[in-house]
Amino acid sequence: MRPFSYSRAEDIDTAVNEVTAHEDARFIAGGTNLLDLMKIDVIHPQHLVDITHIAHDTIENTEDGGLRLGALVTNADTAYHPEVEKRYPLLAHAILAGASPQLRNKATDGGNLLQRTRCYYFYDKTTACNKREPGSGCAAIDGYNRLHAIFGASEHCIATHPSDMCVALAALDARVQVTGPDGSRTIPFEDFHRLPGDTPEKDTNLREDEIITSVDLPPKGFADHYTYIKNRDRASYAFALVSVAATLEIEDNVIKDARIALGGVAHKPWRNKEAESLLIDKPADRDGFQAVAAAIVKEAKSFRYNEFKIELARRSIVRALMEASQTYQ
Amino acid sequence: MATNHIGKPKNRVDGLKKVTGSAKYAAEFNAPGLVHGVVISSAIAKGRIKAIDTHDALEIEGVLHIFTHENTPGLAWFDLSYKDMDSPPGAPFRPLHSDEIQFNMQPIALVVAETLELARFAALRVKVEYEVETHNTKLADSLDEAIEGKGFRAGFEPPKSIGKFEEAYEAADIKLETEYFHGAEHHNPMEMHASTVIYEEDGGLTIYDKTQGVLNSRHYVSMIFGIKRKKIKVISPFVGGAFGSGLRPQYQLFMATLAALELKRPVKVELTRPQMFSFGHRPITIQKLKLAASPDGSLQAVSHSAYSETSRFEKYVENVVNWPKKLYRCENVEEIYKLVQLDMYTPLDMRAPGGATGVYALESAMDELAYKLNMNPLELRLRNYTDEDKGKEKPFSSKTLKECYRVAAEKFGWSQRNPEPRSTREGHNLVGWGMASGIWDAMQTPARAKARLSADGKLEVGSATADIGTGTYTIMTQIAAETLGLPMEQVTAKLGDSSLPFAFLEGGSTTAASVGTAVKYVCDKIARKLLKEAGKIDDSPFKGAKMEDVVFRDENIVDKQDDSVFIPITEVMKLRGLGTIQKKTTALPNFLKQNKYSRNTHSAVFAEVKIDEDLGTIKVTRIVTAIDAGRILNAKTAHSQILGGVVWGVSMALEEDSFMDHHYGRFINHDLAEYHIAVNADMPDIDITFVEEEDHVVSPIGVKGVGEIGLVGVAAAIGNAVYHATGKRIRSLPITLDKAMSEVSAI
């Protein structure tokens, strides 16, 4: 670990000012990923701005009938919040499928969005990784790529985003509120994370001097029909090989709204709205679910060690939709 | 035999210290002026160091020294000096010896600084230039380079075929040929390897080391650095798991000692978790089996061959193919064991080395044969049950395996098994049952112990063995307390200190039988002395009494014939004016007696798995195991040992795999996030039964050892259950969901 300086911000404005004022500065909240990466010298900020005292640590109703998750609410407090459990059970399930109780107690909702990939090569400085060191190459493409992407990868990077929470947020069409030197803006969840393209060092569209203040959930929580399936190599404390968040709105066995988000398969939580629309105004049955699953995996592309993910994704989508169509309060 | 302590489910005597954090581990010792060393690891697998630039690192204030091959003083010249008590044949790796890189993550420098933070920072500023040479880390592609797996090593039995395999195989009615594979595994004890070395004023060393043998560490340091043994004290009171990784001195010991001697200051070196993947591991094997049987299931011929990896500099050998002759009655057995030398570090004993992997392949193949014969897999084992080791042509010193099969099968409900694969469903899940046998060696090694009884009736016993979490402290305490009729609270056990009497490495399931016997013997000596002294007291009822006339019970010497005749031990001490009684003894195995027998522990393992038919996710839902390990000294710690073995077996079957990236020649999933070890949520209900039979051939105290046997057979039982559930035979470990997913799915 390299030496760094540290300051604590008391509110959003000073936080943004501090991070702008210092060269190579980062915000730190739970630090559950940032500190690990600093210890192994994968990232080495010169200054850390502690944002754990800037408030934004509550969950509140919004005027439009949705729910605002303050950026500094912990993952654990979010998952066990009565309003989340009642109105957005998908989100609670997804959060609890990730990490460990200790990590969820420490990690914040804003930080969850900003966690880095778990690609082995990103974590090993002796190997090539364009995300860690732009221009050095991608060791995963011809290496051990069991964990890697089947959607939206590029020749520069095939890493995946590891979050479970974000898969649920993608399905729920959450909005990310951010503040920077130029004021505040709202980023729709699907635009928050990005595909690697030729700049895999950038995980998100958040600017370096911007800070997440909250994650807003729209009123529709799909509490009647939802599922989160996480396939992984052990029952706890493992990142998803393929995960699926599925939500349905059903009236008289006819689907009125459907969302399918996949985790562990791309550089961002993966959605295919065109495919999802195949379900609309159709009966909630296996044929329809198989059709949409086939449409989603049609554009998948695998590498040497992750071919299984394509069929696993297809089956998991069908399974998730079948389960979601049956869940009732 | 009625006992007060032995066999009972006693709590660990060191439990309180462990759960309250007062048990100190190697990296937790401190000394005034302690400095910290950080190891720099090679980024390549093979080649030479062209240059190491330490300039920028040394500029940092507080950085004291950077040791590299360029400035490390001339040390011992001969390979022999680097050999330790567990070295395989070959030339041991010498840290910082030359510019040659022999394996990826090889330690190439040690940065020493006033603080750990400074040392880590400075390590980042050391620039290394390499001359890269082509490496080879691929076992499967290099089988034509295989050499014979042979050479002398403690516990290693070179393969030895018996009968006429080819002839018998050709003549048999039912034949099976199959191949199994498993990847490398790393020990990954919770505590990372660490050494804290204190440089003493007289030039001696006090070393706190993570090790399974303090005497091995002392020997290693003494030989390499040319320091007399009596000037080196190695202390290791607690070990946070080892599983074999502490059998050989690891390079942090060399590094910390080197720095302490050069800088004349106390130095601590602790490896990082990724560096825990830089030394010994369970070697990858490719195993081929040929089995032939008559239609009734009688084995006619067995061939077991294994290709295993080793380093370029040492030939690591273990008993992979030696088990069929011990497990089954078969006259024609072929054993082939080959090594392929690769540009990797030498493998290292890992819990049930050779047995865990060899028996996995053998017992999986036996299951395949059972299905081919359309025979109950348990019946096939019983049909070929043997009371004799076919290789040695000797009977077993004890063997309760038949009863283990019966007990475990009954508890599991094996008789309810539907023999048809894919026959049982629960919702999305396919349910499967499998079983396997396990076997491991039972050994006693020479050990010494000392004991000191004080006037107040307190006893201290000691031996230079280790407690790697197994419960050694506790069983030493129990045996001593039992022998002298004392409450356990009055007994203190000492271990993990090189000034204590000799004990061999804490490994191979030998410690209870070996150190336990030494403790028994030394306490017997004290008892005899006490009785003799008691006889000298005026009007003593014990005048001329022999040991067989008395019992030691409730802190008294008691007349066996008449309970009312007794004398408190403290009274003997007081009346005879004895301040202390001190004794030392050596317990040697009775080789003459032992050589008449083959000596083994055995197990029967039954497993139930549930596999999501569509998604391939596997859950082990039940394990029932019955264990033949001789006499059980402590029902609780022995149970825990088997429990740990079963947990490891589940982990080995489904999760553990150190993945080698052949482009870099480097294990790439080198942390605990990506090297998966089973977690609580993976664990099934585990049912353990000991089928006891005291074995006084293996050890005078009747013990056979429980360290490894709990693991052997578990992976095969799970793999066999996966086949029964799915109809799919998966011949490589770990069995991950992608392998278990059915080819076609209803969804």
Side-chain angles (χ1 to χ4, degrees), chain B residues 382 385 399-409 604 626 691-692:
Chain B
L382 291 170
Y385 194 85
K399 183 170 179 178
T400 62
L401 178 58
K402 202 171 267 179
E403 183 63 5
C404 288
Y405 285 136
R406 193 193 65 74
V407 170
V691 181
E692 291 189 54

Side-chain angles (χ1 to χ4, degrees), chain B residues 147-151 156-162 304-306 317-323 325 333-339 391:
Chain B
I147 54 172
E148 288 301 318
K150 58 182 185 187
F156 176 63
E157 289 178 28
K160 192 181 138 215
S161 301
I162 54 167
H304 192 170
S305 59
V317 286
E318 58 182 19
N319 298 327
V320 181
V321 299
N322 314 47
W323 306 103
K325 292 181 308 199
V333 180
E334 179 181 64
E335 295 180 351
I336 300 168
Y337 180 53
K338 305 256 190 195
L339 297 178

Side-chain angles (χ1 to χ4, degrees), chain B residues 351-352 470 509 641-642 645 705-711:
Chain B
R351 203 170 195 176
T470 45
S509 298
Q641 280 276 76
I642 301 303
V706 289
E708 353 264 316
I709 188 62
L711 160 62

Side-chain angles (χ1 to χ4, degrees), chain B residues 611-633:
Chain B
I611 300 177
D612 189 301
E613 188 181 5
D614 304 308
L615 309 180
T617 41
I618 306 169
K619 172 80 184 161
V620 177
T621 44
R622 277 195 302 148
I623 297 273
V624 176
T625 185
I627 304 286
D628 158 28
R631 183 190 195 189
I632 298 305
L633 292 173

Side-chain angles (χ1 to χ4, degrees), chain A residues 1-3 39 41 118 120-121 124-128 139 143-144 146-147 231-236 238-239 241 286 290 305 308 311-312 314-316 318-319 322, chain B residues 43 117 120-121 124 428 612-615 617 654-655 659 661 664 666 668-670 672-677 679 681-682 736-738 741-747:
Chain A
M1 199 184 244
R2 294 167 198 266
K39 283 183 200 163
D41 201 41
R118 292 286 161 171
Y120 317 108
Y121 300 94
D124 188 329
K125 276 180 62 188
T126 66
T127 65
Y144 189 45
R146 175 177 163 78
L147 288 181
N231 299 302
R232 50 182 151 176
D233 282 328
R234 63 180 165 190
S236 167
F239 295 94
L241 294 164
R286 179 182 299 210
Q290 283 178 331
Y305 290 97
F308 73 94
E311 178 63 10
L312 182 61
R314 192 192 69 74
R315 293 182 193 181
S316 300
V318 177
R319 171 74 63 80
M322 286 171 68
Chain B
E117 290 75 13
R120 280 163 59 170
F121 174 46
L124 294 173
H428 301 301
D612 189 301
E613 188 181 5
D614 304 308
L615 309 180
T617 41
L654 304 182
E655 299 177 13
F659 193 86
D661 180 296
Y664 292 100
R666 188 174 174 94
I668 202 64
N669 54 336
H670 46 56
L672 291 185
E674 298 307 333
Y675 179 89
H676 289 156
I677 294 169
V679 294
D682 293 312
T736 45
L737 62 85
D738 45 313
M741 269 170 75
S742 54
E743 271 89 39
V744 288
S745 158
I747 61 172

